[in-house]
Each structure stands twice: as C-alpha cells, then as structure tokens.
Amino acid sequence: MKLHALWESALATEYKCRFCPICSGFGCINEMPGMGGVRNNENFILNCSGWKNIPSGPYKADSFSVRLAPMTGAVENIGYPDERQFYFDLISGCKKAGIKLSIGDGTPDSKLKWGIEAVKSADTTAAVFIKPYSNKKICERFEWAEEIAECCGIDIDSYNIATMRNSVQLEKKDRAALMELKNFFSRKNIPFAIKGIFTQSDIELAKEIKPDIAFVSNHGGRVETDSGSTAEFFRKNYRALLSSCGQLWVDGGIRSKADCEKAGSYGACEVLIGRPFASAVCRKKSFAVL
C-alpha cells in the first residue's frame, strides 16, 4: 500500500522520475525534458552498466569521496513543483547525509543564484560549475558564487546542448580561452576544473591546460557526444589524465559502493552522483504528502 500510495502521489505531483527500483536508464528513454538522455538513452544505459563490466584498477579502492553532481532545471526535467525549493531540499538533504556538494547554472540566471542561496543557507561550500559562456560572462557569474565556491569548473560538454547553445550563446572553448580562465581562477586562489571530458580532443585539451581538476563526464548521457560509458573511457584514459591534472573526478551511472570503489581504483578522488539524489528528494517529497 505504501508503494502504491507513493506512486499515486508521484503521479499527482507530475514528477518525471519513474522511481525505477534501479536507476539504469531504461525507464525514461528519450524523455527530454525529463530524466532521460539522447539516442534512446544510449550513453545513460552504458554508463550504468559500464562500472559493472570493467575490472578494478591499480589504486586503493577506498581513496575517494562522494559528491552531488551539479543539476538544474528541476521543474522542466524533474517535474519538481518549485525550482528554488528543489535546490534547498537537495542541498540540505545531501549535507545531512555527509555528501559533498556541487551546484550548476542554467537559464534563467535565477537557477545559479538559487543554488548559491541554498548553499549559503546550509552554511557550507560547493563546487561551482558554469556553462561555457564568453569568458567575461563566466567570470561575472563566478563572482556571484565566490563566497561559497570550493572550486570552479567550466562545463565544456554542455556546448553540445543545441537549444541552450543557440539561446544563450555558448562557446566551444579552445586552449587560449581555457588558459585565460585558468589564470583568472589562479589569481583568485580557486582550483580550476574542466568538466565534460569524454573525447580524445578533450584529453588533448587537458594535457595542454593541466587543470587542477579533470572531470570525466558525458553529461549523464544527455548530450550529443561520442558513444560509450564514462567507466570505459575512464579506464582507458586515467593514466593520461592523471599526468595532466591535480585531481581526477568522474560521474555517469555510479549507483553503488562497488561502482565508487571501481572509480577510486582508477585514481578518482571524487565520484559524483546526480539522478539518484534527485529521485530520493522526489520520493521524500511524495512520502511527506501521504
């Protein structure tokens, strides 16, 4: 009865999460806006299976921490009833659970501002990820978040979101643009991250830029990029990336302690999780109205 009531409540609030027993990409195929991804959820599904299929790596498996992945678009993608409240509910819940935090940005600007406000309200800090706008706009947006920022990353793979790229003039970042940003954050004494590393050209960029943090991600399978899982990409390229950065982060399909340990065994010091935390907040909200 409880599960039935939960499902009825979720339908009533129009959550786009299907509350699958295991979040593995089969319940929300092509649902965008929604929790799904492009190409029949191809990379979303591969991400989730990939960690099960790769062998363990050479590093100590428990040398990692877990962090919330940056997420915005709670109303359109998750069906949450209130965009601002989503950030407060998600961030406060993760903090209580001892999970490190991230926030992202989007359009309109209120999405980033509400994320900053929620982190401040929780009296903590977060990794801040900004879309690849012009460098001037990136620096301006970082200044909004500087007080709560542990590090700042440029979400280079979100350039591949065609609707956003065209509506807010996202840029495909080259070496010169990223070096300019790295120098800006260095002067601020803020670690600089490149997020969305998933192609050979991304690896070459990381080798040239040598960011403080190299973040392997295919945006949860939500953007047009190479086919494959972050797990397999990580396994093939961790050595090249570790030689080019201070820290190595990864997300995409991480669902269990064993998945986290696999990532840690290839040198990841942080693993980031998105959809399961969003789903947990929706479940909690559903139970609250029963």
Side-chain angles (χ1 to χ4, degrees):
M1 289 297 294
K2 273 284 187 182
L3 288 176
H4 178 72
L6 171 61
W7 178 243
E8 291 297 323
S9 174
L11 288 176
T13 52
E14 297 183 348
Y15 289 129
K16 296 182 180 179
C17 179
R18 304 283 183 168
F19 297 131
C20 300
I22 299 175
C23 179
S24 57
F26 289 96
C28 55
I29 289 175
N30 283 348
E31 292 185 2
M32 294 179 66
M35 301 289 278
V38 298
R39 299 197 306 269
N40 294 313
N41 284 16
E42 178 189 14
N43 280 5
F44 180 0
I45 292 168
L46 290 172
N47 282 349
C48 295
S49 62
W51 296 104
K52 314 297 183 292
N53 295 332
I54 64 171
S56 294
Y59 292 91
K60 186 179 178 182
D62 61 357
S63 57
F64 64 88
S65 58
V66 177
R67 185 182 291 268
L68 169 69
M71 289 181 289
T72 60
V75 172
E76 60 263 44
N77 292 320
I78 299 169
Y80 215 74
D82 182 270
E83 185 82 24
R84 178 180 180 274
Q85 190 60 45
F86 173 75
Y87 304 119
F88 280 77
D89 292 345
L90 183 66
I91 285 169
S92 64
C94 285
K95 185 189 177 185
K96 287 176 184 176
I99 304 298
K100 292 182 176 183
L101 302 174
S102 296
I103 58 172
D105 78 336
T107 182
D109 293 346
S110 56
K111 291 179 179 178
L112 175 58
K113 291 181 176 180
W114 285 333
I116 295 166
E117 188 181 343
V119 174
K120 286 182 178 178
S121 178
D123 191 27
T124 187
T125 58
V128 177
F129 293 96
I130 299 176
K131 298 290 188 293
Y133 306 104
S134 69
N135 281 8
K136 179 181 179 182
K137 188 172 181 179
I138 289 171
C139 295
E140 288 171 350
R141 292 170 86 80
F142 170 73
E143 287 175 358
W144 302 347
E146 187 169 4
E147 183 181 346
I148 57 91
E150 295 176 36
C151 63
C152 189
I154 309 307
D155 199 1
I156 62 170
D157 63 344
S158 61
Y159 175 80
N160 295 323
I161 305 172
T163 52
M164 190 170 190
R165 177 175 70 235
N166 296 331
S167 64
V168 294
Q169 291 79 55
L170 300 183
E171 298 179 352
K172 189 170 181 63
K173 295 299 182 184
D174 59 13
R175 179 188 182 281
L178 289 172
M179 281 302 302
E180 181 180 25
L181 289 168
K182 181 183 177 183
N183 292 334
F184 169 81
F185 290 112
S186 178
R187 292 192 296 271
K188 293 279 189 178
N189 199 29
I190 294 289
F192 174 62
I194 297 178
K195 175 187 177 291
I197 296 172
F198 196 66
T199 67
Q200 188 58 45
S201 61
D202 296 336
I203 292 174
E204 295 307 315
L205 263 182
K207 287 179 178 178
E208 293 183 75
I209 304 302
K210 292 184 168 48
D212 300 296
I213 300 163
F215 185 168
V216 170
S217 174
N218 60 16
H219 220 90
R222 292 177 63 82
V223 301
E224 291 291 350
T225 186
D226 291 353
S227 296
S229 71
T230 54
E232 187 61 27
F233 182 89
F234 203 67
R235 184 185 72 84
K236 288 180 178 177
N237 298 293
Y238 74 96
R239 289 188 180 89
L241 288 169
L242 281 171
S243 68
S244 304
C245 68
Q247 294 185 3
L248 193 52
W249 295 12
V250 65
D251 73 6
I254 294 168
R255 298 291 183 266
S256 67
K257 181 181 178 183
D259 295 345
C260 293
E261 289 173 344
K262 285 274 185 77
S265 76
Y266 286 100
C269 65
E270 299 219 359
V271 296
L272 289 86
I273 299 172
R275 286 181 181 95
F277 288 146
S279 179
V281 170
C282 292
R283 285 178 181 271
K284 182 177 180 182
K285 201 79 167 179
S286 296
F287 275 120
V289 300
L290 297 182

